[in-house]
Amino acid sequence: QVQLVESGGDLVQPGGSLRLVCVVSGFTFSSKAMSWYRQAPGKGLELVATITNNGVSSAYVDSVKGRFTISRDNAKNTLYLQMNSLKPEDTAVYYCNTISQSLAWGQGTQVTVSS
């Protein structure tokens, strides 16, 4: 059974940093490109960042370029999102999934950026 477990979200002040973690089980993690998504209150799901299966290449939505870094550890079946210089508009529930959203969604992790 495939399971995605996101963690690391918190309440942080503008300009702060967080590292999100997604642990994947029941799935050949190293075989797929993986992505982080987010859903802000009252808005749709947004693709934030994607990383290739081998971790060599990544891509970001324009609003987070230069501030967020996606990475992965295939030996640990774990996906990361380092978020720096956080802004109030980054407030959302963050989820991980494949680039094709082929896995059952996890519970997500809440990130709130507020002073």
Side-chain angles (χ1 to χ4, degrees):
Q1 181 177 351
V2 176
Q3 192 171 17
L4 303 172
V5 179
E6 301 94 347
S7 63
D10 204 348
L11 170 63
V12 62
Q13 292 187 344
S17 297
L18 285 173
R19 187 178 80 152
L20 305 186
V21 178
C22 170
V23 178
V24 180
S25 60
F27 168 66
T28 308
F29 180 71
S30 60
S31 69
K32 294 287 189 181
M34 294 293 296
S35 298
W36 282 99
Y37 301 82
R38 65 185 179 186
Q39 187 163 25
K43 295 189 177 181
L45 194 66
E46 178 184 36
L47 175 62
V48 175
T50 298
I51 188 166
T52 53
N53 67 314
N54 58 9
V56 170
S57 297
S58 57
Y60 301 88
V61 66
D62 284 348
S63 59
V64 308
K65 283 181 180 177
R67 300 189 297 121
F68 289 12
T69 303
I70 188 172
S71 62
R72 66 191 296 161
D73 185 337
N74 286 345
K76 296 181 178 180
N77 284 5
T78 303
L79 182 72
Y80 303 98
L81 186 68
Q82 178 66 43
M83 306 189 297
N84 299 328
S85 303
L86 282 161
K87 303 177 180 180
E89 51 263 44
D90 296 318
T91 295
V93 180
Y94 285 71
Y95 303 90
C96 61
N97 210 316
T98 65
I99 183 62
S100 58
Q101 300 177 25
S102 60
L103 305 177
W105 293 95
Q107 82 289 347
T109 187
Q110 175 70 50
V111 172
T112 303
V113 185
S114 174
S115 54

